[in-house]
Amino acid sequence: MTNNYLSSLLKNHQNNIVLICFLLVWTVGISQTKSIDSLRNLLSNTQNDSIRFELTQKLAFDFLFTQLDSSMVYAIQLNELANKNNSISFKGRSLEVLGRVNAYQNHYDKAKQILNEALELAEKHDLDKSIIYSSLGITYQREGLYEKSIEYFFVGLKLDEKESNNDGIITKSVNIANTYSKLGDNLKSIEYKKNVIHLIENTKNKKIRHQIGVFWNNMAVDYAQLNKLDSCIYYLKKSLHANSLADNKAEISRSYHNIGIIFREKNQLDSALHYTKKGLQINEILKDTLELVLSNRAVGTIYSKLNDYTNSLSYLDKANELGIQINNPSLISDNNLAFSKLYEQFGDHKKSLEAYKKYISYKDSIFKINSQKNIDELKVSYETEKKERAIAEQQIQIQNQELDIIKKQRQVTLWVIIGGILALLLGITFWFNKERQKRKQQQIENLQKQQEIIKLEALVSGEEKERVRLAQDLHDGINGDLSVIKFKINSLDKKTFSETETGVHNQAISMLDNAIDQVRRISHNLAPPSLHNFSLLEAIRQYCNKVQQTNSFTVDFQNFGNLFSFDSEKETAIYRIIQELLNNISKHAKASEVLVQLNSTEEVLEITVEDDGQGFDTQNVKNGIGLQNIASRVSFLKGNLHINSGNDGSAFIITIPYLTSTKIS
């Protein structure tokens, strides 16, 4: 009986283990920190694009297993390098890393969107798709959609077998094995793992051999579910030893967790609590939400066996809160089963029943099966209908006179039903025609909007090209002529000048210098170099500093939220909006303080420009050229513009949706 109970508990644990642990830590080197520092130094000291590609890609992948934020930064840099040099292969790799980062941060929809974009790119340009299929499988694993995840792993495995890629075969086979374990087919899981043991033991890939402890841990869980506890203990000891040598904290935590369960079933509860809490402490450092759910639930279960209701409920509450936070139905289901057992143990039968109902409800939603309750209801309905037919037949036999009445009632009912059906068909036909007219009207409106957008895009693009042309003409034409004039005047022999002529000469040189500076400033305002040489954020920051230097007010530039990136035309439009707003403030607001704030959320970029100046009448100036330019650019960006103005200052709030722009959460 003990073995069966242990198997059940280990199965609950295995049903929620992060199946991708083997793949997540697969590429972590033995001396990773030193390697990363070395790569950073090399990257900072090279200007060769080919070398920068390789180093940036390596850093993006290495940080994927230690610092997700850093991995995100290098993946974005890799994407920018790829776009700049038109490198399709490196663009695909950057998207694959960005997809994984979002998956590990539990942003599953965003991860799948980015990875599918990478897959389309790979199919279009005949690039390697195996690792992308792995990443999609990993994403679905973390989301709890195991049948979907295994489909992607099998597709990737076939590609690796075709190319004789042993490292890829190992990773896909292990992920497939763990997925079978999730689905309760432990014999298949062990079969797939045994198929790659010889590949792992004979591989020359040090990183794969370094992660052998992860593999033994998964084998131990499979044998536990088959009630083969001797084999389970054997592989747990191998796992703990291997992971300790490798300092693999995630897998050390899993080993402690499983060893704690063994002690719990032997009723050695103090040892069980000791090992399970050690695993929990490691997961709190790693901040792995999925593993934190499992660890908190395991500690809560041990406290229940110690009859400590308060501590047991506290840890189970924490496990359930985290499960709901990442919206994992499998975790929530098993948490409710643990609650049900706890309430039952302490005599709260009502709460126990409620928790058990939730457990059943979530289980049904996961495996999409019909509940026994619905089957029972159908059975009762069938039996009731059968009895009613028998009673009706008896009444017909006893009361022949009522037969005619029943027939007439049925005829009336039939005509009513037929009339109702006809009325319903007429209503549906009328509704369908009306909806079709609405759709046609909507199509017309959409076409009109598209034409307006095309005109607006052409207008903004043409205006920007004209600015660049004027800036070039000013810089290369007038500024060049002024410089030549200054040179010729300076070449005059000043020794022959009288005192008056010397003064006129110096005054002329000063006026030429001032004119040259003005032309240069106008040229830079028309086509700011910072917008082409730096990121949008840096260009806006530099412009704010420049405005502050040339005006009496202070400019506070702030940036909050996630990193973001738009295409060059949209970034130029955003820059022009802020430029126009600051220019208006400089001319009209009489302000002492100005705030420029960018706030990036999951869906939009919000731009806020505020001043404490004298304000303006929004109705009287809304048709001004400045505001019209701002409004047209906001429309070009498919954004919204909101203006507040009064005696205490003005505020412009602009929200721009990301749409197809690259925005990393």
Side-chain angles (χ1 to χ4, degrees), residues 556-595:
D556 182 12
F557 174 72
Q558 300 176 358
N559 175 45
F560 300 103
N562 303 305
L563 296 174
F564 63 88
S565 176
F566 292 87
D567 60 44
S568 60
E569 286 189 354
K570 289 185 174 63
E571 289 190 349
T572 301
I574 293 171
Y575 182 90
R576 294 300 185 196
I577 289 170
I578 296 174
Q579 185 183 46
E580 185 71 35
L581 288 172
L582 291 177
N583 186 44
N584 287 344
I585 292 171
S586 176
K587 289 181 178 179
H588 310 296
K590 298 181 180 179
S592 59
E593 293 183 1
V594 176
L595 170 66

Short mmCIF file of all heavy atoms in Angstrom, two decimals, residues 556-595:
data_model
loop_
_atom_site.label_atom_id
_atom_site.label_comp_id
_atom_site.label_asym_id
_atom_site.label_seq_id
_atom_site.Cartn_x
_atom_site.Cartn_y
_atom_site.Cartn_z
N ASP A 556 12.86 67.24 -18.09
CA ASP A 556 13.06 65.97 -17.37
C ASP A 556 12.62 64.83 -18.28
O ASP A 556 11.43 64.67 -18.54
CB ASP A 556 12.24 65.97 -16.08
CG ASP A 556 12.45 64.70 -15.27
OD1 ASP A 556 13.39 63.93 -15.59
OD2 ASP A 556 11.67 64.45 -14.32
N PHE A 557 13.58 64.06 -18.79
CA PHE A 557 13.24 62.92 -19.66
C PHE A 557 13.21 61.64 -18.84
O PHE A 557 14.15 61.33 -18.11
CB PHE A 557 14.29 62.79 -20.78
CG PHE A 557 14.08 61.56 -21.63
CD1 PHE A 557 13.02 61.49 -22.52
CD2 PHE A 557 14.93 60.47 -21.53
CE1 PHE A 557 12.82 60.37 -23.30
CE2 PHE A 557 14.73 59.35 -22.31
CZ PHE A 557 13.68 59.30 -23.19
N GLN A 558 12.12 60.87 -18.96
CA GLN A 558 11.95 59.62 -18.21
C GLN A 558 11.50 58.52 -19.15
O GLN A 558 10.74 58.77 -20.08
CB GLN A 558 10.90 59.78 -17.09
CG GLN A 558 11.26 60.83 -16.05
CD GLN A 558 10.15 61.01 -15.03
OE1 GLN A 558 9.10 60.37 -15.11
NE2 GLN A 558 10.38 61.88 -14.06
N ASN A 559 11.97 57.27 -18.86
CA ASN A 559 11.57 56.10 -19.65
C ASN A 559 11.27 54.94 -18.70
O ASN A 559 12.09 54.59 -17.87
CB ASN A 559 12.69 55.71 -20.62
CG ASN A 559 12.35 54.44 -21.37
OD1 ASN A 559 11.24 54.27 -21.86
ND2 ASN A 559 13.29 53.52 -21.42
N PHE A 560 10.09 54.37 -18.81
CA PHE A 560 9.68 53.27 -17.94
C PHE A 560 9.17 52.11 -18.79
O PHE A 560 8.71 52.29 -19.92
CB PHE A 560 8.56 53.70 -16.97
CG PHE A 560 8.95 54.83 -16.07
CD1 PHE A 560 8.49 56.11 -16.32
CD2 PHE A 560 9.79 54.62 -14.98
CE1 PHE A 560 8.84 57.16 -15.49
CE2 PHE A 560 10.14 55.67 -14.15
CZ PHE A 560 9.67 56.93 -14.39
N GLY A 561 9.20 50.91 -18.21
CA GLY A 561 8.58 49.75 -18.84
C GLY A 561 9.55 48.95 -19.67
O GLY A 561 10.77 48.96 -19.46
N ASN A 562 9.01 48.22 -20.64
CA ASN A 562 9.77 47.27 -21.43
C ASN A 562 10.53 47.95 -22.57
O ASN A 562 10.20 49.06 -22.97
CB ASN A 562 8.83 46.21 -22.02
CG ASN A 562 8.03 45.52 -20.95
OD1 ASN A 562 8.59 44.97 -20.01
ND2 ASN A 562 6.72 45.53 -21.09
N LEU A 563 11.53 47.23 -23.08
CA LEU A 563 12.24 47.70 -24.26
C LEU A 563 11.31 47.60 -25.47
O LEU A 563 10.45 46.72 -25.54
CB LEU A 563 13.48 46.85 -24.50
CG LEU A 563 14.56 46.91 -23.41
CD1 LEU A 563 15.65 45.91 -23.70
CD2 LEU A 563 15.13 48.31 -23.29
N PHE A 564 11.48 48.49 -26.44
CA PHE A 564 10.62 48.46 -27.62
C PHE A 564 11.41 48.93 -28.84
O PHE A 564 12.45 49.56 -28.72
CB PHE A 564 9.38 49.35 -27.42
CG PHE A 564 9.72 50.81 -27.23
CD1 PHE A 564 9.84 51.65 -28.33
CD2 PHE A 564 9.93 51.32 -25.96
CE1 PHE A 564 10.15 52.98 -28.15
CE2 PHE A 564 10.23 52.65 -25.77
CZ PHE A 564 10.35 53.49 -26.89
N SER A 565 10.88 48.62 -30.00
CA SER A 565 11.52 49.05 -31.25
C SER A 565 10.47 49.12 -32.35
O SER A 565 9.67 48.21 -32.49
CB SER A 565 12.63 48.06 -31.64
OG SER A 565 13.18 48.42 -32.89
N PHE A 566 10.46 50.23 -33.11
CA PHE A 566 9.57 50.38 -34.26
C PHE A 566 10.43 50.42 -35.52
O PHE A 566 11.67 50.54 -35.46
CB PHE A 566 8.76 51.67 -34.16
CG PHE A 566 7.76 51.68 -33.04
CD1 PHE A 566 8.12 52.09 -31.75
CD2 PHE A 566 6.45 51.29 -33.26
CE1 PHE A 566 7.19 52.11 -30.73
CE2 PHE A 566 5.52 51.30 -32.25
CZ PHE A 566 5.88 51.71 -30.98
N ASP A 567 9.80 50.34 -36.69
CA ASP A 567 10.57 50.52 -37.91
C ASP A 567 10.97 51.99 -38.04
O ASP A 567 10.49 52.87 -37.33
CB ASP A 567 9.78 50.04 -39.14
CG ASP A 567 8.46 50.79 -39.33
OD1 ASP A 567 8.46 52.02 -39.19
OD2 ASP A 567 7.45 50.14 -39.62
N SER A 568 11.89 52.26 -38.95
CA SER A 568 12.52 53.59 -39.02
C SER A 568 11.51 54.71 -39.29
O SER A 568 11.62 55.80 -38.72
CB SER A 568 13.61 53.59 -40.10
OG SER A 568 13.04 53.28 -41.37
N GLU A 569 10.52 54.46 -40.14
CA GLU A 569 9.53 55.51 -40.44
C GLU A 569 8.72 55.87 -39.20
O GLU A 569 8.47 57.05 -38.93
CB GLU A 569 8.60 55.03 -41.55
CG GLU A 569 9.26 55.02 -42.93
CD GLU A 569 8.24 54.75 -44.02
OE1 GLU A 569 7.07 54.46 -43.68
OE2 GLU A 569 8.60 54.83 -45.20
N LYS A 570 8.30 54.85 -38.44
CA LYS A 570 7.50 55.11 -37.23
C LYS A 570 8.35 55.80 -36.16
O LYS A 570 7.89 56.69 -35.44
CB LYS A 570 6.91 53.81 -36.69
CG LYS A 570 5.80 53.23 -37.58
CD LYS A 570 5.17 52.01 -36.93
CE LYS A 570 3.96 51.51 -37.73
NZ LYS A 570 4.30 51.07 -39.05
N GLU A 571 9.63 55.38 -36.02
CA GLU A 571 10.50 56.03 -35.04
C GLU A 571 10.71 57.50 -35.40
O GLU A 571 10.74 58.38 -34.53
CB GLU A 571 11.82 55.29 -34.95
CG GLU A 571 11.70 53.92 -34.27
CD GLU A 571 13.06 53.31 -33.97
OE1 GLU A 571 14.07 53.84 -34.46
OE2 GLU A 571 13.10 52.31 -33.23
N THR A 572 10.84 57.78 -36.69
CA THR A 572 10.99 59.17 -37.13
C THR A 572 9.74 59.97 -36.79
O THR A 572 9.83 61.12 -36.33
CB THR A 572 11.26 59.22 -38.65
OG1 THR A 572 12.45 58.49 -38.94
CG2 THR A 572 11.41 60.64 -39.12
N ALA A 573 8.57 59.37 -37.01
CA ALA A 573 7.31 60.07 -36.70
C ALA A 573 7.21 60.37 -35.20
O ALA A 573 6.79 61.47 -34.80
CB ALA A 573 6.12 59.21 -37.15
N ILE A 574 7.60 59.40 -34.35
CA ILE A 574 7.57 59.61 -32.90
C ILE A 574 8.51 60.75 -32.51
O ILE A 574 8.19 61.62 -31.71
CB ILE A 574 7.94 58.30 -32.16
CG1 ILE A 574 6.84 57.26 -32.38
CG2 ILE A 574 8.14 58.55 -30.67
CD1 ILE A 574 7.21 55.88 -31.89
N TYR A 575 9.71 60.73 -33.10
CA TYR A 575 10.70 61.78 -32.82
C TYR A 575 10.15 63.15 -33.23
O TYR A 575 10.28 64.13 -32.48
CB TYR A 575 11.99 61.46 -33.58
CG TYR A 575 13.10 62.45 -33.32
CD1 TYR A 575 14.00 62.26 -32.27
CD2 TYR A 575 13.27 63.59 -34.13
CE1 TYR A 575 15.03 63.16 -32.04
CE2 TYR A 575 14.29 64.49 -33.91
CZ TYR A 575 15.17 64.28 -32.86
OH TYR A 575 16.17 65.16 -32.62
N ARG A 576 9.51 63.24 -34.41
CA ARG A 576 8.98 64.52 -34.89
C ARG A 576 7.86 65.03 -33.99
O ARG A 576 7.71 66.24 -33.78
CB ARG A 576 8.45 64.36 -36.32
CG ARG A 576 9.53 64.05 -37.35
CD ARG A 576 10.57 65.13 -37.42
NE ARG A 576 11.55 64.88 -38.49
CZ ARG A 576 12.70 65.49 -38.59
NH1 ARG A 576 13.04 66.40 -37.68
NH2 ARG A 576 13.54 65.20 -39.57
N ILE A 577 7.05 64.11 -33.46
CA ILE A 577 5.96 64.53 -32.55
C ILE A 577 6.55 65.22 -31.32
O ILE A 577 6.13 66.32 -30.93
CB ILE A 577 5.11 63.31 -32.13
CG1 ILE A 577 4.28 62.82 -33.32
CG2 ILE A 577 4.20 63.66 -30.96
CD1 ILE A 577 3.60 61.49 -33.07
N ILE A 578 7.54 64.57 -30.70
CA ILE A 578 8.15 65.15 -29.50
C ILE A 578 8.88 66.44 -29.85
O ILE A 578 8.85 67.42 -29.10
CB ILE A 578 9.11 64.12 -28.85
CG1 ILE A 578 8.29 62.91 -28.36
CG2 ILE A 578 9.90 64.74 -27.72
CD1 ILE A 578 9.13 61.78 -27.84
N GLN A 579 9.54 66.48 -31.00
CA GLN A 579 10.24 67.68 -31.45
C GLN A 579 9.25 68.85 -31.61
O GLN A 579 9.51 69.97 -31.16
CB GLN A 579 10.95 67.39 -32.77
CG GLN A 579 11.81 68.54 -33.27
CD GLN A 579 12.44 68.21 -34.62
OE1 GLN A 579 11.76 67.71 -35.51
NE2 GLN A 579 13.74 68.48 -34.75
N GLU A 580 8.10 68.59 -32.23
CA GLU A 580 7.10 69.62 -32.46
C GLU A 580 6.52 70.12 -31.14
O GLU A 580 6.33 71.33 -30.94
CB GLU A 580 5.98 69.06 -33.34
CG GLU A 580 4.92 70.08 -33.76
CD GLU A 580 5.44 71.09 -34.76
OE1 GLU A 580 6.27 70.70 -35.62
OE2 GLU A 580 5.05 72.27 -34.68
N LEU A 581 6.26 69.20 -30.20
CA LEU A 581 5.70 69.59 -28.90
C LEU A 581 6.67 70.47 -28.13
O LEU A 581 6.29 71.50 -27.55
CB LEU A 581 5.35 68.33 -28.09
CG LEU A 581 4.13 67.53 -28.59
CD1 LEU A 581 4.01 66.23 -27.83
CD2 LEU A 581 2.85 68.36 -28.44
N LEU A 582 7.96 70.07 -28.08
CA LEU A 582 8.95 70.87 -27.37
C LEU A 582 9.15 72.22 -28.04
O LEU A 582 9.40 73.23 -27.37
CB LEU A 582 10.27 70.10 -27.27
CG LEU A 582 10.24 68.87 -26.34
CD1 LEU A 582 11.58 68.16 -26.38
CD2 LEU A 582 9.89 69.26 -24.91
N ASN A 583 9.08 72.25 -29.35
CA ASN A 583 9.22 73.51 -30.09
C ASN A 583 8.07 74.47 -29.74
O ASN A 583 8.27 75.66 -29.54
CB ASN A 583 9.26 73.22 -31.59
CG ASN A 583 9.54 74.48 -32.40
OD1 ASN A 583 10.41 75.27 -32.06
ND2 ASN A 583 8.80 74.67 -33.48
N ASN A 584 6.83 73.93 -29.65
CA ASN A 584 5.67 74.75 -29.28
C ASN A 584 5.82 75.30 -27.86
O ASN A 584 5.48 76.45 -27.58
CB ASN A 584 4.39 73.93 -29.39
CG ASN A 584 4.00 73.68 -30.84
OD1 ASN A 584 4.50 74.34 -31.74
ND2 ASN A 584 3.14 72.71 -31.07
N ILE A 585 6.30 74.42 -26.95
CA ILE A 585 6.50 74.85 -25.56
C ILE A 585 7.52 75.99 -25.52
O ILE A 585 7.36 76.99 -24.82
CB ILE A 585 6.94 73.67 -24.69
CG1 ILE A 585 5.79 72.66 -24.55
CG2 ILE A 585 7.39 74.14 -23.31
CD1 ILE A 585 6.19 71.37 -23.88
N SER A 586 8.61 75.82 -26.27
CA SER A 586 9.67 76.83 -26.30
C SER A 586 9.15 78.18 -26.81
O SER A 586 9.52 79.23 -26.29
CB SER A 586 10.82 76.33 -27.19
OG SER A 586 11.81 77.32 -27.31
N LYS A 587 8.24 78.14 -27.80
CA LYS A 587 7.76 79.38 -28.41
C LYS A 587 6.65 80.04 -27.60
O LYS A 587 6.58 81.27 -27.50
CB LYS A 587 7.24 79.09 -29.82
CG LYS A 587 8.32 78.76 -30.83
CD LYS A 587 7.70 78.51 -32.21
CE LYS A 587 8.76 78.22 -33.25
NZ LYS A 587 8.16 77.95 -34.58
N HIS A 588 5.73 79.24 -27.02
CA HIS A 588 4.49 79.81 -26.51
C HIS A 588 4.21 79.59 -25.02
O HIS A 588 3.44 80.36 -24.44
CB HIS A 588 3.30 79.22 -27.30
CG HIS A 588 3.45 79.29 -28.78
ND1 HIS A 588 3.52 80.48 -29.48
CD2 HIS A 588 3.56 78.30 -29.72
CE1 HIS A 588 3.66 80.23 -30.78
NE2 HIS A 588 3.69 78.90 -30.95
N ALA A 589 4.77 78.55 -24.40
CA ALA A 589 4.26 78.13 -23.09
C ALA A 589 4.73 79.00 -21.92
O ALA A 589 4.04 79.11 -20.91
CB ALA A 589 4.67 76.67 -22.82
N LYS A 590 5.92 79.62 -22.05
CA LYS A 590 6.52 80.35 -20.92
C LYS A 590 6.62 79.46 -19.69
O LYS A 590 6.24 79.82 -18.58
CB LYS A 590 5.71 81.61 -20.59
CG LYS A 590 5.66 82.62 -21.73
CD LYS A 590 4.87 83.86 -21.36
CE LYS A 590 4.84 84.87 -22.52
NZ LYS A 590 4.05 86.08 -22.17
N ALA A 591 7.15 78.27 -19.90
CA ALA A 591 7.22 77.27 -18.83
C ALA A 591 8.58 77.32 -18.14
O ALA A 591 9.56 77.84 -18.68
CB ALA A 591 6.99 75.87 -19.41
N SER A 592 8.61 76.78 -16.93
CA SER A 592 9.88 76.65 -16.20
C SER A 592 10.31 75.19 -16.09
O SER A 592 11.49 74.90 -15.92
CB SER A 592 9.74 77.24 -14.78
OG SER A 592 8.71 76.56 -14.07
N GLU A 593 9.35 74.25 -16.18
CA GLU A 593 9.67 72.83 -16.10
C GLU A 593 8.86 72.08 -17.16
O GLU A 593 7.69 72.36 -17.37
CB GLU A 593 9.35 72.25 -14.72
CG GLU A 593 10.23 72.80 -13.61
CD GLU A 593 9.92 72.14 -12.28
OE1 GLU A 593 9.04 71.25 -12.25
OE2 GLU A 593 10.55 72.50 -11.28
N VAL A 594 9.53 71.11 -17.81
CA VAL A 594 8.88 70.29 -18.83
C VAL A 594 9.21 68.83 -18.55
O VAL A 594 10.34 68.49 -18.20
CB VAL A 594 9.36 70.67 -20.25
CG1 VAL A 594 8.74 69.73 -21.29
CG2 VAL A 594 9.01 72.12 -20.56
N LEU A 595 8.19 67.95 -18.68
CA LEU A 595 8.38 66.52 -18.49
C LEU A 595 8.12 65.81 -19.82
O LEU A 595 7.10 66.01 -20.46
CB LEU A 595 7.40 65.97 -17.43
CG LEU A 595 7.32 64.44 -17.33
CD1 LEU A 595 8.64 63.87 -16.81
CD2 LEU A 595 6.17 64.01 -16.42
#
